[in-house]
Amino acid sequence: MNFQIALLLGQDGITNGAIYALLALSILLVFTVTRILLIPLGEFVTFGALTMAAIQMGKAPALEWLLLALTLIECGLDAYHFRSNLGSKRIQTMVLKVAYAVVMVVLIQMLPLAELPMAFQALLTLALMVPLGPLMYRLFFQPLADAPALVLLIVSIAVHVAMVGVGLLLFGPEGARTEPFSDTAFRLGPVMMKSQTLWVILVSILLIVTLFLTFERTLYGKALRATAVNRTGARLLGISPVFAGKATFGLAAFIGSLSGILIAPITTLYFDSGFIISLKGFVGAIIGGLISYPLAAVGAVAVGLIEAFSMFWASTYKEIIVFTLIIPFLIWRSMTSHHVEDEE
Amino acid sequence: MMNAVMKPKNLMIVGLLAILLAPLVLPVYQVTLLNYIGLYALVVLGLVLLTGVGGMTSFGQAAFVGLGAYSTAYLTTTQQLPAWLEWTAGSPWAGLLVGLILTAAVALFLGAVTLKLSGHYLPLGTIAWGISLYYLFGTMTSMGGHTGVSGLPSLSLFGIELDKGEKIFYLIWAVLVVAIIITRNLLNSREGRAIRALKGGQLMAEAMGVNTFRSKMVIFLISALFAALSGWLYAHTQRFVNPTPFGLSMGIDYLFMALIGGVSSVWGALLGAGVLTMLKQWLQDLLPMILGSDGQYETIVFGLLIVVMMQRWPGGLMSLLVKLLPAKYRQSHDIKLNDQAAELPRRELPNKGDLVLEACDVTRKFGGLVANNQMNLQLHAGEILALIGPNGAGKSTMFNQLSSVDTPTEGEVKFLGQSLKGKSSREVAQMGMSRTFQHVKLLGTMTVLENVALGAHMRGSKGVIPAALHLEREEEQRLLKEAKYQLERVGLGDYLYEEAGSLALGQQRILEIARALCADPCVLLLDEPAAGLRFKEKQALAELLTKLRSEGMAILLVEHDMDFVMGLVDRIVVMEFGEKIAEGLPEEIQTNPAVLEAYLGGAE
Amino acid sequence: MSTANTSTVTNTGPGKPLLEVKDLRVAYGKVEAVTGIDLTLREGQLVTVIGPNGAGKTTLLSAIMGLLPSKGEIHFDGEDYVSPEIETLVGRGLGLVPEKRELFNTMTVADNLLLGAFQRYRRGDDSYEQTLSEVYSLFPRLWERRQQQAGTLSGGERQMLAIGRAMMGKPRLLMLDEPSLGLAPLITREIFRIFADLRRQGVSILLVEQNARAALKVADYAYVLEGGQIAMQGPAAELANDSRVIEAYLGLASKHQELLSS
């Protein structure tokens, strides 16, 4: 291996690592606030990428119908739940939600999707994807808010399995790649840097900084942190777990689908590629001990780099090498931990 | 007629007859399906043990199945085995042995690195392991990579060649029946009680001397071995292996089978494996017709089905079925007691008046909060000492320091002359300290008798294998007899077979005392034993404690009921703001101005 | 000495009822911890609930706050609520300082306080900055430690923070569970002085206390809880002089009454 190859691999590694870092942060965020390990995060990535690809090809991605269907189910359940005191405010919210989904359906059917500017295509994709996060929380997890962690994990896996099937139904078995954001490339030393690499790194850094500021400076961000620190305490101040759950799932859907849009020009994604991608985010989160954001982010970038370099040395064992990465961390944590707890 | 059939024993016989006859009357296709169901059920049985009983879960069971299958495939199809494996001579039985050993090694390693951590690490670790092994199978060129390898020999047993589906059917189902029996045996034993305590009772179990890490490891190991066994059978049924059936999605399917059937009963494993297998067949035909294109759309249905089940019927189909049965047919607790069983040996108690437990300058800080400050106290054999004080005075923290649940920031606790520094609550329990809990910790769905028998855990020694084969019945009888004796002693002799959760709160507290006594301790730490008791019950409790004291037991109690304390104890230590404000005889304490001030409040 | 323990005595007085509880029952599994409680709190009143350990005081507050499912009726401000969500109740002006404080230990004192105003912020009520400075002037210690993590505070400071945090929500009814728990007498005195101040400012308070003397001194009306039921009730000043209160709830033998009343 020479310097040039190392730089190329490093470039790949950092690009993927940045995406894994974003995913690791969403995983931690959702986990600390809701106790849910968000396995279906990977499906946000693939759905985002495949929706973007469909839009670029001028095809209606069919996701809008899923959004409408889930919104109607949610409103139906809410109406049933609050049947005795269905205030005007609740009805208003429901009408707004359904109206949003209907508008999305109309937009997707009417707009000349392929001719839209790319930024608008990306916005459209996000507008379709982000509401799926809170919807997922409402329909699948909210009724189980007090369930043992084990049940939440099982439901999380079940939702992932169902979403992979839905992905196949919506997007078909073919893989897809999208246009890069811009075509320019530039030289860094002996290597040509692809501009998409820069896009990924830039957007990731921007997103991480924004998240940091949100959680440090805004009251809504602090409220989510508070829920993670002490759920009962947060409830007593009127920060509802439902609010926290929907907000974090919305953020996860946003980060996941944005990640999908970012890597779609670099990697061909299939309806079932999401799992393995999100698992690498999980490796980062485990390195961070399911608690530390900086450690998780650094770990995730390391996963990207190790993956890229093992591609060069031992490509057939790439995935195995990445997943065995967690072993030293598990050993270290086992050696330092002495607790016995009742998890129920 | 119906009634006779519905008896559990008769049901079992009917079931066995059905298994015997099935291959003779059913078409080949159905028998093949039943073979699969049997193979799956064996894996799912392990998951029932792990998830339903132990409260843990694994997505890597399919990988263990694969390990069992590939081990035997490698040994029986490779032409030129390396020298150190030549002894196997291509025998499937050697394949089984190697597969089980490999699986055990992997499970022990995975367990060692995840089971001490919080419950999320085992499932995550098994996901990583499942995926890694799947890719590894795919890269093994000698085993045909992703295409796999064929030409495995069929098994032969007692000279009978099991080369057809309807022949190996009998082996598969015989193995399954044996696995079910040993699982049930195991759960109904000393080791089994420790395993059943894992779900929601780990703190308590450790205080009773149970090594919960070991119990977790045992069931993880058993579930992995069942899976490997299933893989071995699978390989010789199919006589062909490739990586696909051992991937993560199959690992998830196994878990789904367990959940649909119901993880809390061994029969749920069978039911779940059957239902999911049939449903899958049916949906794979139906869904592409409705949706108009080919694909594994059944995953949508399964995923949503699991979500709905978890939200509505977390007990699975089995629990729904049990609810449908009339009460008298439901499984009853049939624990046989033998009054002739020999008594367990008892510990030599220290001489009356000997110092047994001592706190020396114990200080415990939580952040800026000083919960205990320079606390000193002594407890002697044959003495009842009460630790009292207003709410928030730091009594519970002190209790935790004394029982080694927590470690002092400064100072130390000495028990029988030994410092407790670095000792776990389990080790302290083994040294002869036993306790009850302020918030009652018992296993609500287990019988009163079994709950109390858990206290005698340390007094038995028979391990997992004798338990699985029920070779430890004599020791088990001795343990149960002791539990019964202690229950009668505290006045709960009429409730042996009741579910512990159905007792009144006061009785549950008394049950905890019986459980603590079952450990044959020399020091008894009681956290608010009289709370929730009626007057008569309090009297009985006081009598019991007085009797224990006369036998030489050292008793420390934290209590709020002053009438109870004043009439019973020898000495009192009063705490306030984490410090000792008074110590002495009950009469002295009752007239101590500082104590009255502490209790009545000192605003002005 | 007036006897105030018969069921005919109720909390009558000026002001309309803010909180009314009727035949409230709470069970943990099969065990009932609160077995039929009637309780009234009028607007502007400071009502205290005293009683021995395990009498059901904390359970009562938890049920009113919607933390525990209960049977019976609870009316707050005229409206009854059936299995309410805590968030709604907080929005309607109910605040609870729980026995365990439930602070956000890894966040700063200032953030803990700000979060107390979360619902007001959400509604677009900007006056919480004003409340914040009020809380700081009430508890100068919190101002000194505003950048410190809540987990590093001492017991007394933690309690001040918990009370301050609840005040940030501008509750119409502030419920306090054992605010004197584990506090030195000096701090207890100070905190009770603050309750009296708050009451003068028109905040209604439901105070659950073990420290009977202090509680009865500041309260308008008092309930004595025993075994999940109201054993006695009456104007606080009357109960403070009732020897049976002291005996029933302190559990110290009656022979020491001379000492207590001295």
Side-chain angles (χ1 to χ4, degrees):
Chain A
M1 169 186 290
N2 60 31
F3 182 65
Q4 190 175 353
I5 295 176
L7 265 183
L8 265 177
L9 292 176
Q11 180 186 341
D12 274 1
I14 296 274
T15 320
N16 287 339
I19 297 292
Y20 299 153
L22 285 180
L23 298 181
L25 295 183
S26 331
I27 288 166
L28 271 186
L29 175 67
V30 172
F31 177 69
T32 51
V33 173
T34 65
R35 301 182 300 138
I36 297 165
L37 288 174
L38 190 61
I39 313 268
L41 180 61
E43 276 65 60
F44 289 132
V45 178
T46 47
F47 278 36
L50 294 172
T51 302
M52 184 77 176
I55 289 178
Q56 289 193 346
M57 282 187 287
K59 284 194 295 189
L63 195 67
E64 68 278 12
W65 294 110
L66 181 70
L67 176 63
L68 181 61
L70 293 181
T71 307
L72 288 175
I73 296 174
E74 180 193 27
C75 290
L77 286 175
D78 279 351
Y80 178 75
H81 185 76
F82 295 108
R83 61 192 177 282
S84 54
N85 52 342
L86 199 63
S88 60
K89 210 177 154 197
R90 286 212 174 89
I91 293 176
Q92 201 185 337
T93 320
M94 282 181 201
V95 171
L96 277 178
K97 280 177 183 169
V98 175
Y100 178 86
V102 170
V103 167
M104 289 313 295
V105 171
V106 172
L107 277 182
I108 294 287
Q109 303 295 330
M110 306 294 284
L111 286 175
L113 297 172
E115 283 95 66
L116 294 173
M118 196 179 288
F120 198 79
Q121 292 172 332
L123 271 181
L124 205 53
T125 305
L126 290 174
L128 280 172
M129 288 295 304
V130 174
L132 291 181
L135 277 169
M136 184 191 278
Y137 180 80
R138 166 65 188 90
L139 295 179
F140 304 129
F141 295 98
Q142 189 181 318
L144 291 165
D146 300 321
L150 182 65
V151 170
L152 294 178
L153 175 66
I154 286 165
V155 169
S156 183
I157 279 276
V159 171
H160 150 72
V161 166
M163 278 189 70
V164 172
V166 170
L168 176 61
L169 193 61
L170 295 184
F171 304 109
E174 301 85 19
R177 224 180 230 251
T178 58
E179 303 288 316
F181 292 3
S182 52
D183 285 326
T184 49
F186 53 93
R187 181 165 285 282
L188 180 86
V191 195
M192 287 302 285
M193 289 280 277
K194 284 170 275 182
S195 63
Q196 191 65 25
T197 305
L198 270 193
W199 273 108
V200 172
I201 296 171
L202 263 178
V203 174
S204 305
I205 292 176
L206 200 69
L207 204 53
I208 290 175
V209 171
T210 317
L211 280 178
F212 177 79
L213 289 178
T214 309
F215 284 97
E216 284 298 316
R217 299 285 160 81
T218 71
L219 199 55
Y220 276 98
K222 285 173 184 172
L224 291 183
R225 269 169 66 208
T227 308
V229 175
N230 186 334
R231 198 156 292 140
T232 314
R235 288 192 74 188
L236 286 174
L237 305 183
I239 306 167
S240 90
V242 174
F243 154 77
K246 285 183 177 171
T248 44
F249 269 64
L251 265 175
F254 173 72
I255 297 173
S257 38
L258 187 61
S259 306
I261 295 171
L262 284 173
I263 53 164
I266 309 173
T267 327
T268 309
L269 289 177
Y270 299 83
F271 72 99
D272 60 352
S273 314
F275 190 48
I276 214 94
I277 298 176
S278 70
L279 277 188
K280 286 168 191 160
F282 270 100
V283 173
I286 290 176
I287 291 173
L290 293 177
I291 184 87
S292 159
Y293 287 85
L295 265 182
V298 172
V301 173
V303 169
L305 283 171
I306 287 170
E307 184 187 29
F309 281 89
S310 51
M311 192 81 137
F312 178 77
W313 276 307
S315 68
T316 41
Y317 297 103
K318 180 186 81 163
E319 309 291 358
I320 303 173
I321 293 172
V322 168
F323 289 118
T324 35
L325 252 185
I326 59 172
I327 289 175
F329 291 93
L330 290 179
I331 293 177
W332 175 60
R333 291 202 182 273
S334 286
M335 307 262 274
T336 51
S337 137
H338 298 288
H339 75 155
V340 176
E341 60 179 295
D342 288 329
E343 293 175 17
E344 215 118 332
Chain B
M1 169 61 199
M2 200 56 202
N3 281 0
V5 177
M6 292 292 281
K7 277 193 183 131
K9 201 170 187 180
N10 295 348
L11 264 182
M12 208 94 86
I13 291 170
V14 170
L16 284 176
L17 271 177
I19 292 175
L20 279 178
L21 292 175
L24 305 178
V25 295
L26 291 176
V28 176
Y29 171 73
Q30 306 279 3
V31 175
T32 311
L33 212 53
L34 281 176
N35 280 345
Y36 277 116
I37 293 174
L39 290 170
Y40 295 157
L42 186 56
V43 184
V44 178
L45 183 63
L47 273 176
V48 164
L49 196 58
L50 195 64
T51 308
V53 182
M56 305 180 287
T57 205
S58 156
F59 295 108
Q61 296 311 96
F64 288 122
V65 177
L67 206 51
Y70 264 82
S71 300
T72 194
Y74 173 75
L75 287 182
T76 55
T77 59
T78 307
Q79 296 300 320
Q80 199 59 53
L81 285 169
W84 61 278
L85 280 172
E86 263 173 14
W87 60 272
T88 62
S91 152
W93 301 101
L96 174 62
L97 184 70
V98 171
L100 290 179
I101 292 173
L102 263 180
T103 301
V106 173
L108 283 173
F109 176 75
L110 272 178
V113 297
T114 57
L115 291 178
K116 279 196 178 141
L117 303 174
S118 81
H120 292 102
Y121 285 93
L122 180 66
L124 289 178
T126 51
I127 288 180
W129 138 254
I131 291 189
S132 302
L133 195 74
Y134 173 75
Y135 280 113
L136 191 67
F137 288 150
T139 58
M140 289 179 8
T141 44
S142 67
M143 300 304 292
H146 282 285
T147 1
V149 57
S150 57
L152 272 72
S154 59
L155 295 173
S156 79
L157 203 59
F158 308 119
I160 305 168
E161 198 71 11
L162 303 178
D163 53 355
K164 288 215 176 66
E166 59 267 30
K167 289 185 182 165
I168 201 157
F169 171 90
Y170 288 107
L171 181 62
I172 292 172
W173 282 82
V175 168
L176 179 62
V177 168
V178 170
I180 289 179
I181 292 173
I182 64 171
T183 306
R184 285 172 58 104
N185 280 355
L186 176 63
L187 288 178
N188 177 17
S189 73
R190 167 179 167 273
E191 290 279 358
R193 284 189 290 275
I195 290 168
R196 282 147 78 193
L198 289 177
K199 206 169 167 181
Q202 293 192 24
L203 266 176
M204 176 272 291
E206 284 277 329
M208 296 301 129
V210 174
N211 185 339
T212 52
F213 173 67
R214 179 177 170 278
S215 290
K216 289 185 206 169
M217 189 67 105
V218 163
I219 52 174
F220 183 51
L221 196 58
I222 292 176
S223 73
L225 291 176
F226 280 176
L229 185 58
S230 168
W232 177 75
L233 283 166
Y234 171 87
H236 292 288
T237 307
Q238 285 284 52
R239 301 170 65 179
F240 162 77
V241 291
N242 72 334
T244 317
F246 313 126
L248 193 68
S249 64
M250 194 59 209
I252 294 174
D253 274 359
Y254 282 127
L255 186 65
F256 283 4
M257 288 181 199
L259 295 165
I260 288 176
V263 280
S264 49
S265 127
V266 291
W267 303 112
L270 199 52
L271 191 65
V275 168
L276 197 109
T277 310
M278 309 298 275
L279 199 60
K280 198 170 192 169
Q281 294 283 328
W282 182 65
L283 287 174
Q284 277 176 347
D285 292 340
L286 183 75
L287 288 179
M289 285 203 308
I290 300 175
L291 299 171
S293 63
D294 275 339
Q296 299 190 314
Y297 298 120
E298 72 276 5
T299 59
I300 306 176
V301 178
F302 287 147
L304 295 179
L305 186 65
I306 292 293
V307 172
V308 172
M309 293 214 54
M310 288 292 106
Q311 290 184 358
R312 289 298 169 86
W313 306 286
L317 287 178
M318 201 63 208
S319 71
L320 288 179
L321 276 183
V322 169
K323 267 187 212 145
L324 287 179
L325 278 181
K328 58 178 172 172
Y329 302 125
R330 285 180 209 166
Q331 204 182 343
S332 56
H333 302 282
D334 55 341
I335 305 159
K336 290 189 194 73
L337 274 175
N338 177 9
D339 286 329
Q340 310 304 309
E343 282 199 13
L344 290 169
R346 301 210 171 270
R347 183 192 306 271
E348 192 95 11
L349 289 178
N351 294 324
K352 269 186 204 179
D354 284 1
L355 179 65
V356 285
L357 185 66
E358 186 180 17
C360 312
D361 291 329
V362 168
T363 298
R364 180 68 172 107
K365 292 180 188 161
F366 299 102
L369 202 77
V370 185
N372 285 157
N373 193 14
Q374 301 269 316
M375 276 296 296
N376 286 291
L377 60 81
Q378 287 93 31
L379 179 65
H380 306 89
E383 170 185 56
I384 303 180
L385 176 72
L387 183 60
I388 67 168
N391 254 347
K395 302 183 300 286
S396 294
T397 309
M398 191 63 206
F399 202 91
N400 285 341
Q401 311 305 315
L402 291 172
S403 55
S404 222
V405 167
D406 197 8
T407 315
T409 320
E410 286 158 40
E412 64 171 353
V413 176
K414 283 186 191 162
F415 178 39
L416 298 173
Q418 265 180 287
S419 169
L420 295 187
K421 217 161 243 169
K423 287 213 163 44
S424 66
S425 61
R426 184 174 79 241
E427 288 164 303
V428 175
Q430 274 155 0
M431 289 165 68
M433 188 190 295
S434 205
R435 65 170 293 187
T436 65
F437 294 87
Q438 185 188 357
H439 302 287
V440 175
K441 288 185 193 294
L442 40 73
L443 302 163
T445 56
M446 260 160 73
T447 60
V448 168
L449 186 70
E450 287 172 299
N451 265 286
V452 172
L454 195 60
H457 186 84
M458 289 172 294
R459 298 169 76 185
S461 60
K462 293 283 197 295
V464 175
I465 292 170
L469 303 175
H470 267 193
L471 297 174
E472 38 52 287
R473 289 293 97 180
E474 196 219 327
E475 180 187 277
E476 174 74 0
Q477 284 304 328
R478 297 174 71 182
L479 294 175
L480 290 177
K481 187 184 169 191
E482 172 75 8
K484 182 178 173 225
Y485 166 69
Q486 298 296 356
L487 275 166
E488 281 166 352
R489 199 172 181 197
V490 300
L492 288 177
D494 294 337
Y495 301 97
L496 300 184
Y497 303 109
E498 304 284 320
E499 279 193 359
S502 69
L503 297 186
L505 196 61
Q507 290 174 318
Q508 295 189 358
R509 290 189 175 282
I510 298 294
L511 185 154
E512 288 217 326
I513 297 177
R515 186 178 63 200
L517 286 176
C518 232
D520 188 29
C522 60
V523 170
L524 203 53
L525 304 185
L526 306 177
D527 206 342
E528 298 196 25
L533 294 194
R534 296 196 195 87
F535 182 69
K536 277 262 162 61
E537 293 167 334
K538 279 183 198 171
Q539 271 187 325
L541 176 62
E543 265 168 48
L544 174 70
L545 296 182
T546 312
K547 181 151 183 300
L548 288 170
R549 165 172 60 189
S550 70
E551 288 167 10
M553 183 89 72
I555 302 171
L556 178 120
L557 49 93
V558 170
E559 187 50 72
H560 282 286
D561 187 329
M562 293 304 153
D563 283 339
F564 180 77
V565 166
M566 296 301 171
L568 173 70
V569 307
D570 300 298
R571 280 190 310 125
I572 297 178
V573 169
V574 190
M575 286 183 75
E576 199 188 13
F577 312 124
E579 291 177 6
K580 183 160 79 178
I581 57 165
E583 178 171 8
L585 303 174
E587 306 85 62
E588 296 167 6
I589 295 299
Q590 279 178 309
T591 51
N592 184 320
V595 176
L596 292 170
E597 184 73 5
Y599 266 81
L600 295 175
E604 267 135 282
Chain C
M1 190 183 293
S2 70
T3 55
N5 63 331
T6 52
S7 53
T8 51
V9 179
T10 49
N11 180 5
T12 52
K16 61 178 195 286
L18 184 62
L19 177 75
E20 275 185 293
V21 174
K22 281 180 189 150
D23 195 29
L24 187 78
R25 294 169 181 276
V26 190
Y28 295 99
K30 287 170 189 167
V31 191
E32 268 201 348
V34 163
T35 57
I37 284 185
D38 295 329
L39 180 148
T40 307
L41 181 143
R42 295 179 176 275
E43 218 148 338
Q45 271 188 331
L46 197 165
V47 171
T48 185
V49 177
I50 54 178
N53 233 292
K57 303 188 298 283
T58 298
T59 309
L60 171 68
L61 285 195
S62 303
I64 295 175
M65 198 63 204
L67 283 167
L68 286 174
S70 59
K71 285 184 195 143
E73 290 173 46
I74 305 174
H75 304 268
F76 179 62
D77 200 16
E79 282 183 69
D80 66 331
Y81 51 79
V82 195
S83 60
E85 275 162 11
I86 301 176
E87 300 74 36
T88 331
L89 294 176
V90 173
R92 278 163 59 183
L94 216 54
L96 170 69
V97 177
E99 189 182 349
K100 290 181 182 158
R101 274 63 146 166
E102 311 284 7
L103 299 177
F104 308 117
N105 283 333
T106 54
M107 298 173 79
T108 62
V109 168
D111 281 352
N112 268 275
L113 288 175
L114 275 178
L115 283 164
F118 178 73
Q119 285 238 346
R120 294 170 69 191
Y121 177 82
R122 238 187 142 175
R123 282 198 305 266
D125 171 1
D126 287 337
S127 61
Y128 66 90
E129 300 274 359
Q130 171 67 28
T131 319
L132 185 62
S133 49
E134 281 169 29
V135 170
Y136 278 140
S137 61
L138 205 57
F139 300 107
R141 191 83 70 87
L142 295 183
W143 169 253
E144 287 162 26
R145 316 226 153 187
R146 64 190 180 282
Q147 290 310 327
Q148 219 168 306
Q149 287 202 344
T152 62
L153 299 184
S154 74
E157 291 163 347
R158 290 173 67 79
Q159 184 60 348
M160 291 175 199
L161 181 55
I163 296 170
R165 194 179 65 172
M167 285 169 58
M168 287 295 293
K170 270 228 157 153
R172 300 181 54 201
L173 172 59
L174 182 59
M175 302 195 287
L176 300 134
D177 195 354
E178 306 262 6
S180 77
L181 196 100
L183 296 188
L186 210 65
I187 303 171
T188 305
R189 211 171 300 166
E190 179 147 332
I191 283 183
F192 273 80
R193 187 183 50 74
I194 288 166
F195 297 156
D197 278 356
L198 283 175
R199 186 188 157 276
R200 270 193 290 280
Q201 289 168 25
V203 181
S204 310
I205 295 177
L206 183 61
L207 174 66
V208 158
E209 250 305 338
Q210 211 194 201
N211 192 330
R213 274 191 190 158
L216 291 174
K217 194 152 263 166
V218 292
D220 300 295
Y221 198 83
Y223 293 88
V224 179
L225 215 59
E226 232 182 333
Q229 283 175 324
I230 306 278
M232 272 178 255
Q233 58 174 296
E238 287 180 24
L239 283 191
N241 295 320
D242 193 321
S243 63
R244 284 167 312 154
V245 172
I246 294 165
E247 187 189 339
Y249 134 77
L250 296 164
L252 289 176
S254 47
K255 55 186 165 180
H256 302 292
Q257 265 167 38
E258 324 79 82
L259 237 161
L260 296 172
S261 50
S262 70

